[in-house]
Amino acid sequence: MNWSHVKLIFHREVRDQLRDRRTMFTICVLPILLYPLMGMVMLQVAQFHREQHVSLGVFGYENWPASRPLIADSDETQIHWKKLTVTKEIRETLGQLRILENNKGSETESKAPKNFIVDAKLAEKLLKEVQADAIIWIPKGYDGTFTSTQLVVLSNQRWERSQLAVRLLAERLDSWHQAAVRDRLASTTLGVSVLDPPQIKQVDVSVPESKRALIWTKILPFVMLVWALTGAFYPAIDLCAGEKERGTLETLLCSPARRKEIVWGKLLTVMCFSVCTALLNLFSMHFTTAIVMTQFSNMGATEMVHSLGPLPIQSMGWLLLLVIPISAMFSALALAVASLARSTKEGQYYLMPLLLVGMPLVMLPMIPGVTLSPGTSVIPVTGAVLMSRAMMDGEYTQALLHLPTVATITVLCCLLSVRWAVRQFESESVMFRDSERSSVTQWIRNVWRLRDETPSVNESFFCGLIILICLFFGRLSLGGMTLEWASIVKSTVVIQIGVILGPALIMAAILTRSITKSLRLSRPSAMDMAVTIGLAFCLHPTYVAIATAVSNEYKLGEQTTAMLTQFDDIIGSTSIWYVLLVLALLPAICEELVFRGFLFAGLMRNGGHVRAILVTAVLFGLSHGVLQQSITASIMGLVLGWLAYKTGGVACTIAFHVVHNSISMLLAASSHNKQPIPQFLSWALEIDDGRLCYSAAWSTLSVGVAISLVAWTATRNMKDRRTNVQKSWGRVAKEAKQAIAR
């Protein structure tokens, strides 16, 4: 790659973006003006902020115990009490409400009815007549909390003031109840001290700056994500869709620069604006917060200043390091997504889906209890945010321990994003898509007329999304079934055939010309099948070790653990042949025909074997309902995808999947039934805590055998390709000699 071409393209794109006044205002000027304006509004609102007062009407307050009044003389802070009397009009309304019953005299008596029949319009009319947010009835003879008589409170929860009035009344009644209980206990031998909780003296050893840093590290990554993505996306739209509209993209593509060099030049430009946008927002927030908190301190809000003061300067440096990898990844993603757009208007529609995809990765560190660990360090963006937080807290040892993992995952995500962007620019169908509009009918006709032997990339993606959505609703609908063997068989058949295999077969029949090729059904060689089965046996101990490590890192919930235990009991009490048929053979056939068949065939088009392996592995993992199973299934999906690519079909992956599932079911059933280890397997298996597991010798030996089988498969295919090339060149040379002789 010629970096001088990249430099020229970078300078060209930067100059073009600097000439765009709207882009410069959004990226540079807006962050500087936005936060000071927000701070000014906050100060103005704080000056006029007052506690909201509510009006609470009381009927029959004379019936309240006089020994401890509910309403104090100085009690007008937030509740405005209204001592109401029952007039003739109000008595008629109360009678129609059927909450209180009228007696012979003018007194109103409550019999504490259990079921109230209230006319909403009359109730709202009563609240407006007495001009109260809520009304409470105190019946005759009420003696406080030591009675079964109920207090009836009438409110309109559609009004916010009415909601507040009910909440404040409940707090007042609770405090009155506590005081009444203390008065009763004071006259007994128990005394009031029995109500006092244990005395706790809290000693906070944290530094105020570190607590402020903790709060800011939960807020700033989310803000930085939004602005880093915003700063990257709008220049990316202009550099891709904008140039398509202006007609300058063809000139750039005709230049001596390669497509990869063009992508890197545009990527550096987008990343430059993304980093600048995030940094400008960060510094603007920092200085604005410092000024606003100073004003709050002068106003007496010292508690807010201590908890949400300006971010410490030393912590700013770690956030600056966080901006660079996040901006690099989002810049590459924004550039790849923007290249799909045919116009700037269409490109703006892609911003929200990209934001929704990245938002959970940044919101995950905001969940209480989520810290930097081996499990969280492998999550893109999340690991980088948690590592920067550890650096701010001074936990340098922990941060350096996970630095290789976080750096590797971040660099890998950036490289994959850049590779995707390069592939988009190398595709002529993406860069020069037809922008003419067509009707839905015409689109359906084109899909049917232009269908190929295998599905397209978009059709494979669409099929995968349909399957995941159907799995979500299917599992919800089957979740209420009793866990027994009949329900397991029913749910497995419905999920595997109806939800997973069904959409793929329908799309293969409608959207492709050959179901056999779209499902990648081909006869494998005997050698490939033998190597695949041997690899399944050798990789199972490694899979068990990975599953154990994942379960230790991501703990299973109590409900999930109990369900899995019950599931093992059912398997142990059922015939093993039924178990292998339903839980080993059926899932292997259905899942492989879909993920390594239909989806893989579409994603393999245009030389996308790496894309096919990665995407099908992720979709295969997401198709499992439990997080721990999804992680291990994704890892196993990479192996199955590699086998599908090397063997050229799904037959070998089906065999691998069947053997793998069968071994898992046999080990689970044997452990539950406490069967002894067969003599011929004593070197490979042992009993640990009542369960069958692999011995250390076989676990170590299996890794070496698996590596040998993988290397042999890879080199064998390379030899076959070299042999085919030599044969083809030999045929060409022979035909040339014959032509010369003639």
Short mmCIF file of all heavy atoms in Angstrom, two decimals, residues 26 79 224 230 300 334 358 400 455 561 586 710:
data_model
loop_
_atom_site.label_atom_id
_atom_site.label_comp_id
_atom_site.label_asym_id
_atom_site.label_seq_id
_atom_site.Cartn_x
_atom_site.Cartn_y
_atom_site.Cartn_z
N THR A 26 -21.48 21.59 13.41
CA THR A 26 -21.93 20.43 14.19
C THR A 26 -20.80 19.82 15.01
O THR A 26 -21.00 19.41 16.16
CB THR A 26 -22.53 19.37 13.26
OG1 THR A 26 -23.60 19.97 12.51
CG2 THR A 26 -23.07 18.19 14.04
N ILE A 79 -47.49 20.32 52.57
CA ILE A 79 -48.88 19.90 52.54
C ILE A 79 -49.75 21.03 53.08
O ILE A 79 -49.54 21.51 54.20
CB ILE A 79 -49.10 18.63 53.38
CG1 ILE A 79 -48.23 17.48 52.88
CG2 ILE A 79 -50.56 18.22 53.34
CD1 ILE A 79 -48.37 16.22 53.70
N MET A 224 -19.58 10.22 25.23
CA MET A 224 -18.50 10.14 24.24
C MET A 224 -18.88 9.24 23.08
O MET A 224 -18.49 9.49 21.93
CB MET A 224 -17.22 9.65 24.92
CG MET A 224 -16.61 10.66 25.88
SD MET A 224 -15.26 9.95 26.84
CE MET A 224 -14.17 9.46 25.53
N THR A 230 -21.42 10.47 16.22
CA THR A 230 -21.96 11.59 15.44
C THR A 230 -20.85 12.28 14.65
O THR A 230 -21.02 12.60 13.46
CB THR A 230 -22.63 12.61 16.38
OG1 THR A 230 -23.65 11.95 17.13
CG2 THR A 230 -23.23 13.75 15.59
N GLY A 300 -25.04 27.06 48.27
CA GLY A 300 -25.21 26.19 49.43
C GLY A 300 -25.43 24.73 49.12
O GLY A 300 -25.60 23.93 50.04
N ALA A 334 -18.81 3.48 10.50
CA ALA A 334 -19.59 4.54 9.85
C ALA A 334 -19.25 4.64 8.37
O ALA A 334 -20.13 4.85 7.53
CB ALA A 334 -19.35 5.87 10.55
N GLY A 358 -24.32 -0.03 19.04
CA GLY A 358 -23.21 0.29 19.93
C GLY A 358 -23.62 0.72 21.32
O GLY A 358 -22.81 0.66 22.25
N LEU A 400 -3.42 -3.39 33.97
CA LEU A 400 -2.33 -3.94 33.16
C LEU A 400 -2.49 -5.44 32.95
O LEU A 400 -2.06 -5.97 31.92
CB LEU A 400 -0.99 -3.65 33.84
CG LEU A 400 -0.58 -2.17 33.88
CD1 LEU A 400 0.72 -2.01 34.66
CD2 LEU A 400 -0.43 -1.60 32.48
N PRO A 455 -28.27 -18.27 -2.37
CA PRO A 455 -28.84 -16.98 -1.95
C PRO A 455 -27.79 -15.88 -1.97
O PRO A 455 -26.58 -16.13 -1.96
CB PRO A 455 -29.33 -17.27 -0.52
CG PRO A 455 -28.48 -18.39 -0.05
CD PRO A 455 -28.20 -19.23 -1.26
N THR A 561 -29.76 -22.91 36.97
CA THR A 561 -29.08 -24.09 37.50
C THR A 561 -30.07 -25.18 37.88
O THR A 561 -29.86 -26.38 37.58
CB THR A 561 -28.23 -23.70 38.72
OG1 THR A 561 -27.32 -22.66 38.36
CG2 THR A 561 -27.45 -24.89 39.24
N LEU A 586 -31.30 -34.67 15.60
CA LEU A 586 -32.20 -33.66 15.02
C LEU A 586 -31.61 -32.26 15.05
O LEU A 586 -31.62 -31.57 14.01
CB LEU A 586 -33.55 -33.71 15.75
CG LEU A 586 -34.61 -32.72 15.26
CD1 LEU A 586 -34.95 -33.00 13.81
CD2 LEU A 586 -35.86 -32.80 16.14
N VAL A 710 -6.10 -30.75 12.28
CA VAL A 710 -6.39 -29.46 11.64
C VAL A 710 -5.29 -29.11 10.65
O VAL A 710 -5.56 -28.68 9.50
CB VAL A 710 -6.55 -28.36 12.70
CG1 VAL A 710 -6.60 -26.99 12.05
CG2 VAL A 710 -7.82 -28.59 13.52
#
